[in-house]
Amino acid sequence: MRNRENADSQGVLADVGAERALLASASRGTPEQIANMLVAVKEELFFLPLHMLAWRVIREKLEAAIPWDWTIFKAKLKRLDVAESDAESLSDEMARNVPAAGMWRNYAEVVEDYHVRRGMEQIARESLMLVHNKKEKAAVHLGQIEGRYFELHANRGRGEMKHISAFAGEALENFKESAKRKGKVSGGIATGFTDIDRLNIKGVRKKHLWCYGAPPGGGKTLFLMKKLYNIASGAHDYTAIASEWDQEPIPAALFSLEMDGAELAERELVRLSRVNLNTLQRGMENREELEKLGAAALSLKHPKLYIEPTFNISVQDLRIRARYAVAKYGVRIIGVDYAQLLHSDTKAAKLNKTTGQEEVSRGLKQLAQELEIPVIVLVQVQREAFKGRPNLGNIADSAQYCKDADVVAMLSPWNSKLYEPTAADVITSRGDFGEEDDDVLGENDDMNFLACDFVKTRGFGGTSGKAPLKIRWDREFYDLSSTCNRLFDPQGRNVQR
């Protein structure tokens, strides 16, 4: 027994003293501390089998709310085939060890740290064995190793129970921040689209999963690229009052499962240079247009926007790549284009399509929560879904991908017959929200506008019962922009015009 207790000094990754102190803390904690221990401490974290059994007994007593009794504790250990001498020794040491119950978290962190290190050591040994195993390709072994490290990292995330007053304090601080910013986006990431930022004044918040649905050719990739570019570069549509925008460029990443990086870059060059793509592809550009193109290419060096074209990958692999992007580039928001091209590697997912879709949706939500960043995912829906105003019922084939989303929005061509504003909604072109072009309120050219309808929201009102947001679509130059140029409404109205 003594040789095992001195494991750390003999080169084994464990702190037996911290394990004993953690066990002793559990016998003296307050109800709130005990509740947090039951969530945070797992049996497999302990190194010594005796400590694993001891925690199993302690956990049963705490969950059953049984008063602590050392005699009962020793008797329970003996029933689990623990030698009487070991049970007596552990009980006596725990009784003599009187750590402050409030220190349990410190002991738990030490115990978990050694548990992770032992896991890393085990994976390193397995990796060395796979290096010399030439029966399969190295890429297969690399995927297995990455999966093991991912599983080890994912298992570390655990919740913690707090009194409601602690969360109320956090909410109050959020309201105070909003009051200081006087109508500006606070608490999340602004998108640079005044229409969207006004509707969702809290911004795109960390741990949230946003889902945009659109038919093929419906502008969803263009919309996501413009959104990420705005965030990564500091570009915006706040042209009426520039001081409304004070967000520094934020690193963003796009995982493109459909389009190649060069194709996406082509669109950005066309948008920034305002040179027609057909002219460029035919080699008919003049000197002035070439200069604009070169200036646009130089300007793309500044945004903190990273693109990884990756095809036929699983949601598990995506989570590994996303974690790498966050660690290497400091990425704080991720886009995925698009969900149907992801799959799950589990056996159940391969046998059932619906199960696979659910695991993809759940995996994307877990990605946002684990990395504590927002994730925006695109979903392709059938064109027939947009015969009327789109809603969640229109995306039956893709509904599972939006199941775990915090926000779901539908993109569709603007329909003036459905969305024509009433006189009460219309603000003059030089009203509170800044200047607007005359064609914003017209209905003669619906193809030049995109409807963004928020059909599911968490944390803001959405567009239910109101006209969807109207986004200007410049098809020639692959550009989307807001139809209004001022964010703050001093009269408190939440209408677009």
Side-chain angles (χ1 to χ4, degrees):
M1 179 74 178
R2 288 179 181 177
N3 291 335
R4 299 181 70 183
E5 290 182 358
N6 294 328
D8 191 37
S9 63
Q10 296 177 4
V12 178
L13 294 169
D15 189 330
V16 176
E19 292 186 5
R20 291 279 176 89
L22 179 59
L23 293 172
S25 299
S27 65
R28 299 174 177 85
T30 64
E32 184 176 347
Q33 290 169 342
I34 290 172
N36 286 328
M37 287 185 198
L38 293 176
V39 173
V41 181
K42 306 297 180 184
E43 183 177 320
E44 61 268 18
L45 297 182
F46 295 94
F47 173 68
L48 295 181
L50 176 59
H51 292 172
M52 292 183 182
L53 295 175
W55 176 250
R56 188 183 305 174
V57 173
I58 292 172
R59 187 180 185 88
E60 290 176 359
K61 290 175 64 63
L62 295 179
E63 288 177 340
I66 300 174
W68 189 262
D69 186 290
W70 290 107
T71 304
I72 296 177
F73 175 69
K74 286 187 282 187
K76 286 270 188 180
L77 286 177
K78 293 175 184 177
R79 289 177 197 164
L80 294 173
D81 297 327
V82 175
E84 184 174 355
S85 59
D86 289 344
E88 291 284 349
S89 174
L90 178 61
S91 301
D92 292 343
E93 185 170 343
M94 287 176 61
R96 291 195 304 270
N97 192 344
V98 191
M103 292 290 292
W104 74 268
R105 189 175 284 103
N106 300 63
Y107 300 129
E109 288 178 356
V110 173
V111 171
E112 183 182 33
D113 183 77
Y114 275 103
H115 169 71
V116 173
R117 292 178 184 278
R118 291 195 298 272
M120 293 170 62
E121 183 183 45
Q122 179 62 30
I123 296 173
R125 290 175 179 173
E126 294 176 3
S127 302
L128 187 60
M129 294 177 62
L130 291 175
V131 166
H132 299 286
N133 182 359
K134 300 179 182 179
K135 293 181 179 180
E136 294 189 72
K137 293 184 178 180
V140 176
H141 295 318
L142 182 61
Q144 294 173 352
I145 296 168
E146 287 179 340
R148 288 294 310 278
Y149 275 114
F150 169 74
E151 182 181 1
L152 182 64
H153 192 283
N155 288 337
R156 294 180 63 248
R158 298 184 180 90
E160 180 179 354
M161 182 177 290
K162 297 180 182 179
H163 190 270
I164 188 172
S165 60
F167 295 107
E170 294 178 16
L172 184 60
E173 289 300 319
N174 291 336
F175 289 138
K176 289 180 179 178
E177 182 187 359
S178 299
K180 289 179 182 179
R181 294 182 60 77
K182 298 295 182 183
K184 297 179 182 178
V185 174
S186 63
I189 299 174
T191 67
F193 286 92
T194 51
D195 307 318
I196 296 175
D197 292 341
R198 182 188 301 149
L199 179 68
N200 179 29
I201 201 64
K202 295 299 292 182
V204 186
R205 307 176 76 173
K206 65 179 184 179
K207 298 185 180 182
H208 274 203
L209 175 63
W210 284 51
C211 179
Y212 285 99
K220 56 185 182 297
T221 301
L222 185 64
F223 184 71
L224 178 58
M225 272 296 294
K226 181 63 181 293
K227 210 170 190 180
L228 294 178
Y229 178 86
N230 285 350
I231 292 169
S233 66
H236 56 83
D237 296 333
Y238 298 22
T239 55
I241 301 179
S243 61
E244 288 184 329
W245 178 273
D246 59 359
Q247 180 173 281
E248 295 294 326
I250 294 172
L254 171 65
F255 290 92
S256 178
L257 283 71
E258 181 183 29
M259 296 184 66
D260 185 73
E263 294 180 85
L264 296 170
E266 278 184 2
R267 292 185 174 189
E268 287 302 292
L269 289 173
V270 169
R271 181 179 68 82
L272 294 171
S273 66
R274 315 309 282 183
V275 179
N276 185 277
L277 179 61
N278 188 49
T279 300
L280 294 172
Q281 290 177 337
R282 293 177 181 273
M284 299 174 64
E285 64 275 9
N286 55 38
R287 180 177 296 180
E288 182 182 355
E289 290 172 334
L290 282 175
E291 290 177 354
K292 290 181 179 180
L293 199 64
L298 287 174
S299 68
L300 282 177
K301 293 183 178 181
H302 304 298
K304 301 177 180 179
L305 178 57
Y306 305 92
I307 299 175
E308 182 175 341
T310 178
F311 310 104
N312 191 31
I313 66 168
S314 66
V315 68
Q316 292 84 359
D317 190 17
L318 176 69
R319 289 165 69 182
I320 295 172
R321 294 170 186 246
R323 180 171 287 107
Y324 176 76
V326 170
K328 184 174 182 179
Y329 302 110
V331 167
R332 288 173 52 194
I333 184 169
I334 285 175
V336 180
D337 181 18
Y338 55 92
Q340 280 94 331
L341 296 179
L342 285 170
H343 64 273
S344 177
D345 280 337
T346 66
K347 184 177 180 180
K350 294 177 181 177
L351 296 175
N352 187 286
K353 180 180 178 181
T354 302
T355 301
Q357 293 176 343
E358 291 175 346
E359 291 186 2
V360 168
S361 175
R362 188 163 55 249
L364 291 169
K365 180 60 178 178
Q366 289 172 347
L367 171 63
Q369 292 176 330
E370 290 166 0
L371 299 182
E372 297 188 350
I373 62 174
V375 174
I376 304 175
V377 61
L378 302 180
V379 173
Q380 187 162 286
V381 298
Q382 296 178 354
R383 193 177 297 275
E384 291 75 14
F386 296 120
K387 292 181 179 179
R389 182 166 182 172
N391 55 63
L392 284 174
N394 295 136
I395 56 173
D397 293 339
S398 309
Q400 295 298 336
Y401 293 111
C402 303
K403 187 176 181 180
D404 297 283
D406 300 280
V407 178
V408 179
M410 307 295 291
L411 302 175
S412 60
W414 183 263
N415 189 332
S416 57
K417 295 180 180 179
L418 289 175
Y419 309 138
E420 178 66 21
T422 64
D425 292 330
V426 178
I427 295 177
T428 61
S429 62
R430 295 183 181 272
D432 292 323
F433 297 156
E435 296 185 0
E436 296 185 354
D437 294 338
D438 293 337
D439 60 357
V440 172
L441 300 181
E443 70 279 2
N444 296 326
D445 196 359
D446 288 353
M447 290 301 293
N448 288 334
F449 297 96
L450 194 66
C452 182
D453 213 344
F454 286 88
V455 296
K456 175 186 176 183
T457 60
R458 183 176 300 170
F460 64 98
T463 54
S464 178
K466 298 177 288 188
L469 301 181
K470 190 175 186 180
I471 308 296
R472 183 181 286 104
W473 189 350
D474 189 338
R475 293 175 180 267
E476 181 182 3
F477 298 122
Y478 297 97
D479 196 11
L480 293 170
S481 59
S482 303
T483 53
C484 55
N485 55 13
R486 186 173 179 184
L487 175 68
F488 181 55
D489 175 10
Q491 297 185 10
R493 290 175 295 206
N494 190 28
V495 293
Q496 187 176 13
R497 289 173 296 279

